């Protein structure tokens, strides 16, 4: 049996984050859901390299957009794959 892939999912909209988390979990992914880009950066900074298989984030969020979040997360963990989505 394959180990589960872990996705760090970031969205400021609680309802969208909840639905996205549910959909990913029902497809076998381990999801760490966080509501703010700042919390996502703290999570990445405190994680060991390779702890996350994907950073999945919303494009438009207050305080920091998805592009900036990905840029900063890649400064912390350059090999972290990232995908930006928009509702």
């Amino acid at each position: 049996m394959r180990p589960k892939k872990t996705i760090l999912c970031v969205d400021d909209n609680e309802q969208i984050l909840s639905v996205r988390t549910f959909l990913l979990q029902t497809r076998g992914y381990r999801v760490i859901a966080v509501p703010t880009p700042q919390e996502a950066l703290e999570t990445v900074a405190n994680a060991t390299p390779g702890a996350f298989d994907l950073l999945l984030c919303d494009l438009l969020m207050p305080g920091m957009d998805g592009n900036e979040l990905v840029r900063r997360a890649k400064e912390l963990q350059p090999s972290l794959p990232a995908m930006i989505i928009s509702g």
Side-chain angles (χ1 to χ4, degrees), residues 32-65:
I32 307 300
V34 296
T36 66
Q38 294 78 12
E39 189 174 337
L41 287 175
E42 289 174 19
T43 302
V44 170
N46 293 324
T48 58
F52 297 109
D53 297 292
L54 178 67
L55 167 60
L56 180 63
C57 68
D58 188 20
L59 175 62
L60 301 174
M61 295 180 283
M64 183 186 313
D65 68 13

Side-chain angles (χ1 to χ4, degrees), residues 23-37:
L23 290 172
L24 291 167
Q25 287 175 335
T26 59
R27 284 156 179 81
Y29 294 98
R30 181 179 300 124
V31 180
I32 307 300
V34 296
T36 66

